[in-house]
């Protein structure tokens, strides 16, 4: 029996270094109206309160910019995502930037505290920095570290003040469980822009990493079968899709940190379809559409809409 879908709109964009991703969810909905796609009329839509007023004043935390605002987002997502899952909904989260994804994972863990969570992270970036290792202080580079209880002090480059440390510990503990996912239950796809601090922790933890070329060499069907085998002992799977996983030459530069040589839109769509087909997949998140940076007039949102429509179709029919 198919689950009911709820679109959860999260317009907070406080964790990235560029502005405009808060308009991404609306850009996707605008693309749907242009196409006369009715997925937002046929399914429940809920909106999270945004905290973008944090952008209107300087941050006190240079190595974890606006972490105080992000903590509020994590707590709100923890409550809302948990509530949706307990109500047997399938959340499709349309978020501004990727920094809030740790709150989504917290919500999944709160809904299923005794279950093992698998994460498939489709992104150009590894997002496993910490306040101790970040070169920028932007927290969209830290969500995975926050849910895996990683500090990576072995690669420390920053002297972090006590207030930031206290907030980082609070962030990691949202939902009451500090380590929400195990290293063996995380899979990277299309990551191709990392710093040495991230590479060190990836190697130390033995994280699974499929490159864009791996997607092509193996084929999507085989790759997803491999992922399902790796995550066979997980009870619940979360798929996080950053649009910068795709090649900007084949989409647009309508995202905050585009990186060349990414997935084709068709590869991205096929990956999402096959991953969502797994009945263990309970939540999908789509992030980082930024129409302010789109040189092709909302093309990124239109392409992303196609991916989202495919996910909806799979959930309705699986």
């Amino acid at each position: 029996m198919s689950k009911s879908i709820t679109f959860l709109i999260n317009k907070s964009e406080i964790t990235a270094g560029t502005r405009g991703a808060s308009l991404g969810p609306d850009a996707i909905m605008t693309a749907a109206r242009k196409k006369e796609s009715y997925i937002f009329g046929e399914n429940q839509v809920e909106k999270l309160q945004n905290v973008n007023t944090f952008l209107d004043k300087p941050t006190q935390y240079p190595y974890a910019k606006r972490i105080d605002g992000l903590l509020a987002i994590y707590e709100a997502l923890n409550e809302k995502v948990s509530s949706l899952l307990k109500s047997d909904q399938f959340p499709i989260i349309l978020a501004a930037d990727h920094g809030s994804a740790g709150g989504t994972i917290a919500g999944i863990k709160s809904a299923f505290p005794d279950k093992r969570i698998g994460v498939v992270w489709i992104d150009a970036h590894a997002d496993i920095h910490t306040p101790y290792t970040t070169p920028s202080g932007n927290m969209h580079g830290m969500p995975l570290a926050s849910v895996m209880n990683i500090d990576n002090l072995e690669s420390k480059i920053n002297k972090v003040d006590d207030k930031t440390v206290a907030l980082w510990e609070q962030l990691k503990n949202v939902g009451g469980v500090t380590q929400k996912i195990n290293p063996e239950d995380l899979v990277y796809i299309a990551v191709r822009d990392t710093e040495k601090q991230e590479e060190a922790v990836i190697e130390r933890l033995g994280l699974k990493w499929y490159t864009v070329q791996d997607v092509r060499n193996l084929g999507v069907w085989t790759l997803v079968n491999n992922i399902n085998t790796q995550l066979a002992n997980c009870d619940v799977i979360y798929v996080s899709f950053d649009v910068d996983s795709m090649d900007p030459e084949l989409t647009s530069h309508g995202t905050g940190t585009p990186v060349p040589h990414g997935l084709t839109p068709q590869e991205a769509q096929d990956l999402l379809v096959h991953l969502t087909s797994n009945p263990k997949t309970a939540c999908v998140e789509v992030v980082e559409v930024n129409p302010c940076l789109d040189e092709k007039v909302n093309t990124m949102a239109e392409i992303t809409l196609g991916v989202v429509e495919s996910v909806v179709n799979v959930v309705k029919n699986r």
Side-chain angles (χ1 to χ4, degrees), residues 57-70:
K57 54 190 175 183
T59 179
Q60 303 174 51
Y61 310 103
Y63 301 120
K65 293 176 181 175
R66 304 174 188 89
I67 189 174
D68 43 352
L70 184 59

Side-chain angles (χ1 to χ4, degrees), residues 240-287:
S240 204
F241 175 65
D242 189 322
V243 300
D244 70 22
S245 61
M246 296 186 288
D247 193 319
E249 294 302 319
L250 302 176
T251 53
S252 78
H253 289 76
T255 187
T257 47
V259 181
H261 312 302
L263 300 168
T264 69
Q266 189 63 56
E267 288 167 339
Q269 184 168 310
D270 290 347
L271 280 166
L272 267 293
V273 164
H274 285 287
L275 289 164
T276 308
S277 296
N278 186 336
K280 292 182 180 180
T281 298
C283 178
V284 171
E285 186 154 9
V286 177
V287 305

Side-chain angles (χ1 to χ4, degrees), residues 17-196:
T18 57
R19 302 281 71 83
S22 60
L23 304 174
D26 281 336
I28 296 169
M29 297 178 83
T30 297
R33 291 165 184 152
K34 176 183 174 184
K35 187 181 178 182
E36 298 185 0
S37 168
Y38 303 114
I39 58 171
F40 297 107
E42 295 167 348
N43 297 287
Q44 184 171 318
V45 178
E46 298 193 22
K47 296 182 179 181
L48 210 66
Q49 180 78 32
N50 79 67
V51 297
N52 290 330
T53 53
F54 277 83
L55 295 167
D56 299 328
K57 54 190 175 183
T59 179
Q60 303 174 51
Y61 310 103
Y63 301 120
K65 293 176 181 175
R66 304 174 188 89
I67 189 174
D68 43 352
L70 184 59
L71 180 59
I73 299 170
Y74 266 44
E75 289 171 342
L77 278 166
N78 175 56
E79 182 179 346
K80 174 54 71 174
V81 172
S82 175
S83 174
L84 289 172
L85 289 169
K86 287 176 180 176
S87 301
D88 208 32
Q89 296 288 304
F90 188 105
I92 298 177
I93 300 164
L94 303 182
D97 55 44
H98 219 166
S100 59
T104 303
I105 294 171
I108 298 169
K109 189 64 177 176
S110 291
F112 308 113
D114 300 321
K115 294 188 177 181
R116 190 164 157 182
I117 300 169
V119 172
V120 183
W121 199 263
I122 308 171
D123 196 332
H125 307 90
D127 293 348
I128 201 164
H129 270 298
T130 76
Y132 305 100
T133 68
T134 175
S136 70
N138 294 327
M139 295 211 68
H140 69 163
M142 306 186 201
L144 284 172
S146 76
V147 295
M148 297 174 74
N149 194 26
I150 290 170
D151 292 327
N152 195 14
L153 297 177
E154 297 89 338
S155 302
K156 180 178 177 180
I157 61 171
N158 302 321
K159 186 176 181 180
V160 183
D161 65 275
D162 290 343
K163 286 185 178 179
T164 302
V165 171
L167 284 166
W168 176 243
E169 293 302 318
Q170 280 185 262
L171 195 72
K172 291 193 292 182
N173 198 48
V174 168
V177 178
T178 308
Q179 184 172 340
K180 299 168 180 68
I181 59 172
N182 303 320
E184 62 269 29
D185 298 334
L186 169 65
V187 180
Y188 282 129
I189 301 177
V191 170
R192 57 195 185 279
D193 185 13
T194 55
E195 282 83 34
K196 62 182 181 180

Side-chain angles (χ1 to χ4, degrees), residues 207-222:
L207 302 182
K208 188 62 180 177
W209 182 349
Y210 289 104
T211 66
V212 173
Q213 197 56 49
D214 289 332
V215 174
R216 290 171 190 159
N217 290 344
L218 290 169
V220 169
W221 189 85
T222 298

